[in-house]
Amino acid sequence: MTKHWTPMIAAAVVAWAALGGAAPLSAETLEVTSPDGKITVTVSDDNGQATYAVRFEGEEVIAPSKLGMIFAEHPGFERGLAIAGATRTSKDSTWEQPWGERRLVRDKHNELAVTFGADRGPTRQMTVRFRAFDTGIGFRYELPEQAALQGDIAIVDERTQFSVGEKTTIWYTPSDEFNRYEYVTRTGAAGQVDDAHTPATFRKDSGIHFSIHEAALVDYSSMSLGALRPGTFEARLRNWSGGPKVKTKAPFQSPWRTIQVAREAVGLINSDIILNLNEPNQLGDVSWVEPGKYVGIWWAMHINDRTWGSGPIHGATTAETKRYIDFAAEHGFKGVLVEGWNIGWDGDWFNNGDLFRFTEPMPDFDLAELGRYAQSKGVRLIGHHETSANIANYESQLEAAFDLYKSVGVRQVKTGYVADAGDVVRVDDKGPRRYEWHDSQFMVDHHLRVVKEAAKRQISINAHEPVKDTGLRRTYPNWMTREGGRGMEFNAWGTPPNPPSHVPMLAFTRMLAGPMDFTPGIFDLKPNERPPVRADVPRGDPSNRPQTTLAKQLALYVVLYSPLQMAADLPENYKARPEAFQFIKDVEADWEQSIALAGEVGEYVAFARQGRTSKEWFLGAVTDESPRDLSLPLSFLEQGKQYRAQIYRDGPDAHWDTNPYAMVIEETVVTGGDTFAVRLAASGGVAVRFIPFGR
Ligand code: NOJ
């Protein structure tokens, strides 16, 4: 718990006492403006209620909206509030990410911390700290230790409102349905939407874009948006089973509530406020956290080539793993993920998480030998802990499981929490099973426990079926990536598979939270049309397939950021298309700089990223169902300097459905400052590598 705000609270309490403990008759209004002057936050105690409002270039983005918090047994902060004091600071500093979408991050903001006192019931104070950046704002509640807030506190509601306007367009996934975050993004008028996960993305009629999310979700439950009345959402905190929303003690603080604002849609992407609102690295030297590309025994199970469970086509055998290790070593991949290696996969693993043993390999999987073999080839195994969301079973084995992986040279572990939303198993001190949500305070705490145990052994985490990302990778750089959205696997068995608009949608929605282990790079675009490997393991529905061109699969490596980036297809499918595979071998997974160049939500998006190691620039662009002509300024390249551009673009007659493999690979010379013109096919894409001359 940071206490740097204590002196401010003390000053506020003095001011509050000077007011005689009663709300002043006339409202006080305070403002804080972003450094560039475009975003203004107005804070008021009008009518005894704490409110805020946000304007961008003078236009209202969030109309006056309430702030507040209520507790089960303690007096809350809802009415009878008055501003008792305020402090202001400004900051302009630059910090370095150990890995990331850019190495240097600038944190430039103006801060206003407003303390509200309450005059009904016992005297008490709450501070709301606002930070205004050029790309958006953040605010959080800070509740100091005080006489009125003694003992265990149960938050029953956070009364933070977001009055966005009924007609404002929203892009969102529902927050209360069984498949956690894994929905095709929906859209509509904000006034028609009942509940939404964050990040939720909005566009006003005037064209201004904004996104509501949260940063630094620690020891608190996740926030989703619940309709309060048409056009006004209220922060909805996920509850404990049979309990309150958050269990805490004063002093405590909420996560930051964030509102990114930009005229253009890409402005939402070119923003670092989520990271800037997280605490700096707490792990010290993290040179052992290694971004990179990996392959794995994974897609084979999703397309029924192999099984997780034991039997004649068990995937995780010693021989099969060596085949992947050899492939990884030959083609420059750092990691080999192996799923289905341990006891517990036989039978209905989805519902039997208590059977998983995280220290017991299957008999046909020689973990020690494979750890040694991988390292002899300059590769490392990537571990896998599927828990089926049985947390009691997993936590009882956690330390031994990480010890084992460490002993065989594993540096990264993919965790998994397959279970319907609301079905996470918790067994508390008194024994009975309770069922929690994936975004509850219980799981927020669990994930950090895992991340910290892993860090002690220099292991990094890639969580599937996770809680959403709120930028904690800054504080815990070993929490590298996660799923938290519909990934590639839906194209093997999902109903429906991911539509052509999915990736240009993700870029402006899910990806605003942070990296995603989407697992790109499928080269056999009709996997379910292959004959089954065994008659008793049939393929899935042939209509399940990636609805993209081959060039779009390559573009995903630039568009969808993840510091652990998978080449997800089978080795034989890469060997069949070595020219296209070359791009996956060349592209990096860790970046010096990243720029979203152009795009519209769900329609198309183009990125340029500069590799952290090679310093080479890469460009990737994808489109939805509509073919598109793009003209992209090469302003990120050095002005006037010449580069060899290795281009992987859709062929003239390419189409995701009828002709997905048509791709032109060509090399041309471009000059920094030129415009790069390219045509994308229906659900197509382009990937480019720029090599400076003289190298
Ligand atoms: C769901 C994960 O997203 C997927 O990647 C994994 O293969 C399965 N669970 C099994 O753990």
Side-chain angles (χ1 to χ4, degrees):
M1 178 68 64
T2 49
K3 289 216 172 150
H4 60 273
W5 35 273
T6 308
M8 202 280 295
I9 296 294
V13 171
V14 171
W16 172 242
L19 289 173
L25 292 178
S26 61
E28 189 170 347
T29 299
L30 300 170
E31 276 193 358
V32 60
T33 302
S34 59
D36 67 2
K38 291 188 178 173
I39 300 177
T40 304
V41 186
T42 308
V43 186
S44 165
D45 58 4
D46 193 13
N47 206 18
Q49 296 189 325
T51 65
Y52 77 102
V54 182
R55 278 176 289 136
F56 179 75
E57 294 179 345
E59 184 180 334
E60 189 172 76
V61 175
I62 304 287
S65 298
K66 287 180 199 161
L67 300 165
M69 192 174 282
I70 57 174
F71 310 112
E73 287 164 9
H74 295 78
F77 295 86
E78 208 194 356
R79 289 172 192 284
L81 304 178
I83 292 176
T87 58
R88 292 176 182 276
T89 56
S90 292
K91 182 171 177 178
D92 185 2
S93 65
T94 298
W95 56 278
E96 188 168 338
Q97 295 201 80
W99 50 269
E101 57 275 70
R102 61 183 58 76
R103 189 166 61 83
L104 298 176
V105 179
R106 188 165 179 191
D107 178 355
K108 187 176 179 191
H109 67 256
N110 293 328
E111 178 177 297
L112 168 69
V114 183
T115 294
F116 293 90
D119 72 351
R120 295 189 190 166
T123 301
R124 56 199 186 277
Q125 304 85 36
M126 159 185 90
T127 294
V128 188
R129 186 178 302 277
F130 292 87
R131 288 192 183 155
F133 302 78
D134 289 347
T135 58
I137 69 142
F139 62 88
R140 76 173 179 205
Y141 299 92
E142 297 175 350
L143 282 291
E145 203 175 343
Q146 51 193 296
L149 297 180
Q150 294 297 304
D152 291 338
I153 294 177
I155 300 178
V156 293
D157 251 326
E158 193 185 297
R159 289 284 159 90
T160 309
Q161 296 179 7
F162 302 91
S163 185
V164 300
E166 257 183 271
K167 294 200 194 120
T168 300
T169 301
I170 177 173
W171 290 274
Y172 71 104
T173 52
S175 63
D176 293 344
E177 296 182 22
F178 82 98
N179 225 1
R180 305 164 306 268
Y181 302 99
E182 297 172 24
Y183 287 90
V184 174
T185 306
R186 302 176 185 177
T187 189
Q192 305 288 315
V193 172
D194 289 336
D195 60 272
H197 273 306
T198 75
T201 300
F202 300 83
R203 187 177 60 208
K204 296 185 76 78
D205 280 353
S206 65
I208 292 175
H209 293 79
F210 62 101
S211 158
I212 299 177
H213 189 43
E214 60 184 312
L217 172 54
V218 178
D219 201 17
Y220 208 83
S221 70
S222 287
M223 175 187 81
S224 61
L225 303 179
L228 187 68
R229 66 179 71 88
T232 297
F233 293 104
E234 189 168 68
R236 212 179 260 170
L237 303 181
R238 181 66 71 198
N239 59 295
W240 284 80
S241 79
K245 309 254 166 92
V246 177
K247 300 178 189 175
T248 188
K249 275 185 198 315
F252 72 91
Q253 61 199 21
S254 73
W256 293 91
R257 280 63 187 93
T258 61
I259 306 169
Q260 288 168 240
V261 193
R263 175 72 54 190
E264 310 289 338
V266 288
L268 299 180
I269 302 172
N270 293 322
S271 165
D272 294 314
I273 77 171
I274 302 293
L275 286 172
N276 276 329
L277 290 169
N278 274 271
E279 297 297 319
N281 172 14
Q282 286 185 8
L283 299 181
D285 174 15
V286 286
S287 50
W288 45 270
V289 178
E290 292 172 349
K293 292 170 290 184
Y294 71 99
V295 294
I297 301 179
W298 178 79
W299 185 242
M301 278 81 92
H302 288 271
I303 60 171
N304 291 349
D305 255 39
R306 294 283 182 275
T307 55
W308 280 279
S310 57
I313 55 167
H314 180 214
T317 64
T318 303
E320 182 71 339
T321 308
K322 284 192 173 173
R323 185 170 82 91
Y324 274 76
I325 292 170
D326 292 344
F327 179 79
E330 187 185 340
H331 297 285
F333 292 90
K334 285 190 179 173
V336 175
L337 167 72
V338 190
E339 296 197 359
W341 67 279
N342 58 325
I343 300 295
W345 288 96
D346 291 335
D348 182 12
W349 58 269
F350 192 106
N351 289 307
N352 286 321
D354 43 356
L355 299 183
F356 278 118
R357 295 288 161 265
F358 301 101
T359 53
E360 291 175 40
M362 294 228 210
D364 54 353
F365 186 80
D366 188 341
L367 178 62
E369 161 60 10
L370 287 166
R372 187 204 59 75
Y373 184 75
Q375 288 181 79
S376 78
K377 298 252 170 171
V379 173
R380 285 182 189 270
L381 293 178
I382 297 180
H384 186 229
H385 290 162
E386 175 55 66
T387 68
S388 293
N390 190 314
I391 305 308
N393 181 54
Y394 185 37
E395 289 200 354
S396 70
Q397 302 175 54
L398 195 59
E399 295 180 31
F402 283 135
D403 284 345
L404 174 65
Y405 265 150
K406 183 182 164 126
S407 74
V408 296
V410 165
R411 284 277 175 86
Q412 288 141 2
V413 172
K414 170 177 170 178
T415 56
Y417 298 88
V418 167
D420 285 356
D423 271 354
V424 170
V425 177
R426 169 170 73 93
V427 181
D428 71 12
D429 321 340
K430 297 177 193 70
R433 272 184 174 225
R434 310 219 180 245
Y435 294 94
E436 305 290 351
W437 288 71
H438 286 76
D439 53 357
S440 59
Q441 185 183 13
F442 173 69
M443 285 305 282
V444 166
D445 292 349
H446 166 75
H447 282 293
L448 266 193
R449 242 186 327 272
V450 171
V451 162
K452 288 177 185 173
E453 275 312 319
K456 287 183 199 160
R457 294 150 180 95
Q458 304 199 328
I459 287 175
S460 298
I461 295 296
N462 165 10
H464 279 231
E465 301 80 37
V467 64
K468 68 188 176 185
D469 198 344
T470 59
L472 283 168
R473 62 192 156 122
R474 178 174 180 191
T475 316
Y476 303 98
N478 69 322
W479 197 349
M480 295 186 78
T481 189
R482 74 188 78 198
E483 191 186 40
R486 274 177 150 243
M488 186 66 82
E489 61 192 23
F490 277 81
N491 299 328
W493 43 254
T495 31
N498 297 328
S501 60
H502 187 59
V503 172
M505 186 65 80
L506 285 182
F508 295 97
T509 52
R510 156 67 184 84
M511 301 306 291
L512 299 182
M516 177 173 181
D517 186 37
F518 182 85
T519 65
I522 296 304
F523 276 22
D524 177 357
L525 293 164
K526 298 180 182 174
N528 289 332
E529 288 184 14
R530 288 149 49 114
V533 177
R534 283 175 59 99
D536 56 344
V537 191
R539 296 279 181 200
D541 179 344
S543 67
N544 282 122
R545 50 178 279 208
Q547 297 189 345
T548 77
T549 64
L550 184 60
K552 186 170 177 178
Q553 287 293 320
L554 299 182
L556 300 183
Y557 287 85
V558 186
V559 169
L560 294 175
Y561 171 60
S562 180
L564 297 176
Q565 194 67 286
M566 189 175 201
D569 210 339
L570 314 177
E572 46 273 38
N573 291 336
Y574 291 130
K575 285 184 187 152
R577 296 183 188 276
E579 300 83 10
F581 188 42
Q582 189 60 44
F583 182 80
I584 299 181
K585 291 166 67 168
D586 291 337
V587 73
E588 285 192 44
D590 189 25
W591 305 105
E592 180 70 22
Q593 300 180 59
S594 294
I595 309 165
L597 297 171
E600 292 295 344
V601 183
E603 296 178 14
Y604 75 101
V605 68
F607 281 86
R609 299 192 198 264
Q610 185 184 30
R612 182 121 23 144
T613 308
S614 68
K615 303 288 182 268
E616 286 175 0
W617 282 93
F618 293 85
L619 182 149
V622 294
T623 181
D624 61 3
E625 184 76 38
S626 303
R628 219 172 280 273
D629 289 303
L630 294 185
S631 283
L632 300 168
L634 299 179
S635 46
F636 49 90
L637 300 177
E638 213 177 297
Q639 186 69 25
K641 189 171 166 142
Q642 288 198 317
Y643 296 78
R644 287 161 50 206
Q646 297 175 343
I647 302 168
Y648 302 74
R649 62 178 170 86
D650 293 320
D653 50 357
H655 185 287
W656 74 264
D657 191 18
T658 53
N659 197 12
Y661 297 108
M663 184 164 79
V664 175
I665 303 178
E666 62 190 359
E667 185 164 307
T668 62
V669 175
V670 298
T671 304
D674 281 359
T675 296
F676 175 66
V678 67
R679 182 168 177 77
L680 310 184
S683 197
V686 62
V688 188
R689 174 189 182 200
F690 299 94
I691 307 165
F693 266 98
R695 289 199 25 207

